[in-house]
Amino acid sequence: QVQLVESGGGLVQAGGSLRLSCAASGSIFSINAMGWYRQAPGKQRESVAVISSQGTTNYADSEKGRFTISRDNAKNTVYLQMNSLKPEDTAVYYCNAVAKTYFHGTFNVYWGQGTQVTVSS
């Protein structure tokens, strides 16, 4: 299995910044894509940013220019730098990873438990 441990969530004022971290551990053979998703009450879980193993990034339009996703392959860690935060960014943020383990011969999707990000107006 793969375990994802998140940190960095919290309460911040509008216009402020937060940096989320998510470290993957376990019997990891390799990790393909890693990403951040979020879910607000009454909304579907949506993609925030995704980064491939090669470093190619993809952002949702609402976050592009404000958020930056990065990764450290040696540490199996993905980061999300969030700047110019808005109240509408308030949500539970989930880390995920598409990973291959020594046990499984194919890639599977793993999710963290989520971390609350609250942006006050």
Side-chain angles (χ1 to χ4, degrees), residues 4-116:
L4 301 177
V5 181
E6 300 168 313
S7 63
L11 175 65
V12 65
Q13 290 183 311
S17 299
L18 284 174
R19 184 173 185 259
L20 306 182
S21 300
C22 176
S25 62
S27 56
I28 300 171
F29 180 77
S30 64
I31 298 178
N32 192 352
M34 302 185 77
W36 290 95
Y37 295 72
R38 68 185 182 188
Q39 187 170 19
K43 292 185 177 181
Q44 299 292 318
R45 186 175 299 187
E46 63 179 0
S47 174
V48 176
V50 177
I51 184 168
S52 73
S53 60
Q54 295 80 28
T56 302
T57 58
N58 188 24
Y59 299 91
D61 290 340
S62 61
E63 288 77 45
K64 199 168 188 177
R66 300 188 298 121
F67 292 4
T68 302
I69 188 170
S70 61
R71 65 188 289 172
D72 185 335
N73 291 332
K75 297 181 179 180
N76 290 328
T77 300
V78 63
Y79 307 92
L80 184 67
Q81 178 67 47
M82 303 186 293
N83 299 324
S84 302
L85 284 163
K86 305 174 181 179
E88 50 263 44
D89 294 319
T90 296
V92 177
Y93 283 70
Y94 297 89
C95 167
N96 88 336
V98 180
K100 185 178 181 180
T101 67
Y102 293 107
F103 180 76
H104 295 286
T106 60
F107 284 98
N108 293 281
V109 180
Y110 300 89
W111 291 90
Q113 293 299 308
T115 183
Q116 179 69 48

